[in-house]
Amino acid sequence: MIGQAFRTCARWALDFALPPRCAGCGVIVADVHSFCPECWKQVEFLGDGGCVTCGMPLQATDSETCGACLARPPRIARTRAAVAYGELPRSLAIRLKYGRKVAIARTMARYMAPLVSRDGNAILVPVPLHRSRLWRRGFNQSALVARELSRRLSIATQPFALRRIKRTPPLKGMSPLQRRKTVAGAFRIADKSAIAGKTVILVDDVLTTGSTAEACARTLKRAGAARVELVSWARVVRPAQLMR
Ligand SMILES: [Zn+2]
Ligand SMILES: [Zn+2]
């Protein structure tokens, strides 16, 4: 306990003493958990515009909802991502995934937080890893981000309410139908009372096809979640690869 407390203090002192560094390249910057001007230019921030449901850019139209969401309303009522997937956002995601870098989770949370809807009934739920992967890696990168979002927004996080019970291969290269089949039944609710009647905000690091998040949403809805939303650090914005 004392050792832990000492380490926490030491880390705090270190954070306090060291100048903030760019999350992209490591040069010293003025503002904590941000990017230098050079890296800033390489990041495409997506903002809160686009389709009210999926967040994708809208074609010239009066509608607030895109054609795809009108034709087939997604289970996830609102999807937002901080940045478009690209080299620099990818490098942050990889460093978080394999390095347990809390500073990176904080940087991501800083840019994701404004996109989280203010709902008194909301809880944050990270997209879970299968336990075999969790054991190997030791942590879930999305849970780190959810924890930082929770701190920033004072929204409770439920990192164990949703479990991944099936190991799934990478979905890259699969057809939408194959992807849906692969992730079907991959998730289970561990704690129904934590979910029922809530607005569940799923937290993910990188959103590619959306199939995994949709499978999470299906499980959450069955367990009585009132509404499911998703906030992610980065998202692939090539339209052909998105959602359904
Ligand atoms: Zn930089
Ligand atoms: Zn849409």
Side-chain angles (χ1 to χ4, degrees):
M1 268 321 265
I2 291 170
Q4 176 69 41
F6 177 75
R7 274 197 298 278
T8 306
C9 281
R11 199 178 306 136
W12 180 82
L14 211 63
D15 279 351
F16 193 72
L18 293 174
R21 290 186 178 272
C22 169
C25 68
V27 303
I28 292 171
V29 288
D31 195 6
V32 74
H33 309 309
S34 67
F35 296 98
C36 73
E38 275 310 303
C39 289
W40 185 268
K41 273 189 278 180
Q42 293 175 49
V43 181
E44 188 190 334
F45 291 92
L46 294 173
D48 197 14
C51 168
V52 285
T53 305
C54 70
M56 290 304 287
L58 286 168
Q59 311 299 336
T61 167
D62 291 340
S63 172
E64 287 193 317
T65 309
C66 76
C69 289
L70 281 174
R72 192 156 173 252
R75 284 193 182 82
I76 299 174
R78 185 172 177 273
T79 297
R80 294 294 181 272
V83 301
Y85 193 66
E87 211 174 299
L88 204 137
R90 177 173 168 270
S91 99
L92 258 72
I94 287 174
R95 274 150 57 209
L96 176 69
K97 200 163 172 177
Y98 299 106
R100 195 180 203 148
K101 293 275 195 313
V102 172
I104 289 185
R106 285 192 185 140
T107 302
M108 291 177 175
R110 176 189 178 167
Y111 296 105
M112 289 158 75
L115 303 172
V116 175
S117 52
R118 308 306 254 157
D119 179 333
N121 201 27
I123 54 165
L124 298 161
V125 173
V127 170
L129 296 179
H130 187 260
R131 64 169 191 273
S132 62
R133 199 161 289 174
L134 197 61
W135 283 339
R136 210 173 329 126
R137 202 178 291 160
F139 66 100
N140 174 359
Q141 71 277 9
S142 297
L144 290 185
V145 178
R147 193 177 66 190
E148 296 306 326
L149 279 173
S150 169
R151 279 193 188 146
R152 253 176 197 274
L153 300 166
S154 302
I155 299 176
T157 173
Q158 293 283 356
F160 308 110
L162 183 65
R163 285 176 50 210
R164 195 175 195 128
I165 54 168
K166 197 166 119 185
R167 282 193 68 174
T168 47
L171 303 177
K172 214 173 160 183
M174 289 186 190
S175 73
L177 182 66
Q178 280 176 313
R179 280 189 232 123
R180 274 203 295 279
K181 280 186 175 163
T182 306
V183 294
F187 299 95
R188 183 179 288 166
I189 301 294
D191 182 1
K192 230 174 181 169
S193 66
I195 300 296
K198 295 285 184 185
T199 293
V200 175
I201 300 168
L202 283 166
V203 179
D204 208 353
D205 54 350
V206 177
L207 178 63
T208 48
T209 65
S211 311
T212 304
E214 278 279 310
C216 288
R218 187 182 308 144
T219 308
L220 289 162
K221 282 280 188 75
R222 275 197 197 140
R227 179 181 165 92
V228 180
E229 302 189 3
L230 171 73
V231 63
S232 162
W233 157 242
R235 118 188 268 181
V236 177
V237 271
R238 272 172 297 160
Q241 274 188 288
L242 275 168
M243 312 308 284
R244 303 170 282 287

